[in-house]
Amino acid sequence: MVGLTPKDLKEAVIIKYNNIEAKFYAGGTDFMVRHDSCDKLIFLNQVKELKQVYKGDGYLHIGSGCTYVELLGDKRIPFILKEAIRGIAAPAIRNIGTIGGNICNASPAGDTLPVLYALEAEVVLISIAGERTMPIMEFITGIRKLALLNTELLKEIILPDREFDITYYKKVGARKSQALSKLSFAGFANKSGNRVTDLRIAFGSVGITAVRVKALETKYAGLSAEELKQRLEEILSDYSAYIKPIDDQRSTAAYRKKVCLNLLGDFIGNL
Ligand SMILES: Cc1cc2nc3c(=O)[nH]c(=O)nc-3n(C[C@H](O)[C@H](O)[C@H](O)COP(=O)(O)OP(=O)(O)OC[C@H]3O[C@@H](n4cnc5c(N)ncnc54)[C@H](O)[C@@H]3O)c2cc1C
C-alpha cells in the first residue's frame, strides 16, 4: 500500500492525474469500513484549501475536507445543516469525518444530503484541467455513484447565502446517536404574509439517492398555508409516488414510507 500526502490542492490534482487508480482518503470513516481494495491512497487531510469556509459572490463556500466538529464550531454554517450534523454518529467520528466524504460516499443514508439538496447546494470539482460546478442533485447519480471524473476531486460545496423563515429537520434512527438513518426529512419554507413563496422538501434513505421533487415544490409554492393544509391529502399522495424505500436491517419499507409522510404532514401542518 502506497500513501500519497499532498500538501496543497495543486499537488493533490497533479498526484491524482499521475495516479488515476489511487483513491482519496479524507477522514476514512467510510473508506475503512468498506475495505475497498486499493494499492494507493491519496490522503487529503493536509490539503489546507479543503479546510476553508468563506463567503463570496452570494454563496457560502465549504471546503470538502472540513470535519463535522469544525463545521459545528463555525458561525457561518446554517443552523439546519448543523442540526443534521449533530445527528451523525458520535463525537469520535464527527472529529474526523468530513462533509466531502459524506457526499462522495453517496449513500442514500448520508445525513447531510437531504439538507444539502433542499439548500440547493452545488459542488465544485477540480482537476489539473480546472474547475467545474454542478448541482449536488446531478453529482450524486446513484448508490456510491458520482458524476466525478477519475482525474477530479471534490473541492468545495457552495450554498446560496439565504435564510428561510421555516426550517424543519428530523432524522429517525434506532438511537439518538451512533445510528444510521432509517429515514430523514428536511423541509424549508419562506413566507410572504401567509403565502408560502418558496417550498423545499427532501427525504433521505427512501431511494437510491436523497429525494427532492422540484416539480411538486413548484406545484404547491404560492399557495397560502391554509390552502396547503386543505390540500394535504393530495400533497401526501403526490409525494408517496416518489418515496420508494426498501426493507433492510435498519427498517421496513412500510415504516419508512409511513413516517416520511407523517413528517411531511407535520411540516405542512406547521407552516
Ligand atoms: C461508526 C460510524 C457511524 C456513522 N454514522 C453516520 C451517520 O449517523 N450518518 C451519516 O451520514 N454517516 C455516518 N457514518 C459514515 C461516515 O462517517 C460519513 O459518511 C463521513 O462523512 C465520511 O467522511 P470521511 O471524511 O470519513 O470520508 P472517507 O471515508 O475518507 O471517504 C468516503 C468516500 O469519499 C471519497 N472522498 C472523500 N473525500 C473526497 C474528495 N474531496 N473528493 C473525492 N472523493 C472523496 C473517498 O474516496 C471515499 O470513497 C458513520 C460511520 C461510522 C464508522
Side-chain angles (χ1 to χ4, degrees), residues 139-156:
F139 180 58
I140 299 176
T141 56
I143 299 173
R144 306 208 189 292
K145 289 197 182 131
L146 300 172
L148 182 75
L149 303 177
N150 60 10
T151 49
E152 286 177 322
L153 66 88
L154 172 60
K155 180 187 169 201
E156 61 187 18

Side-chain angles (χ1 to χ4, degrees), residues 16 22-34 36 41-42 44 50 63-68 84-85 87-90 93-94 96-107 109-113 125 139 144 146 148 152-156 171 176-181:
K16 182 59 173 158
K23 303 245 168 80
F24 291 115
Y25 186 109
T29 60
D30 275 317
F31 196 89
M32 292 297 280
V33 174
R34 286 214 314 264
D36 275 5
L41 288 180
I42 303 176
L44 293 175
L50 301 183
S64 68
C66 292
T67 67
Y68 294 126
I85 290 172
I88 292 178
I93 296 289
R94 292 199 293 267
I96 52 168
T98 64
I99 188 166
N102 200 236
I103 295 169
C104 293
N105 192 48
S107 160
D111 281 327
T112 64
L113 302 180
L125 311 172
F139 180 58
R144 306 208 189 292
L146 300 172
L148 182 75
E152 286 177 322
L153 66 88
L154 172 60
K155 180 187 169 201
E156 61 187 18
K171 166 176 173 170
K176 270 197 170 172
S177 68
Q178 201 68 288
L180 290 174
S181 291

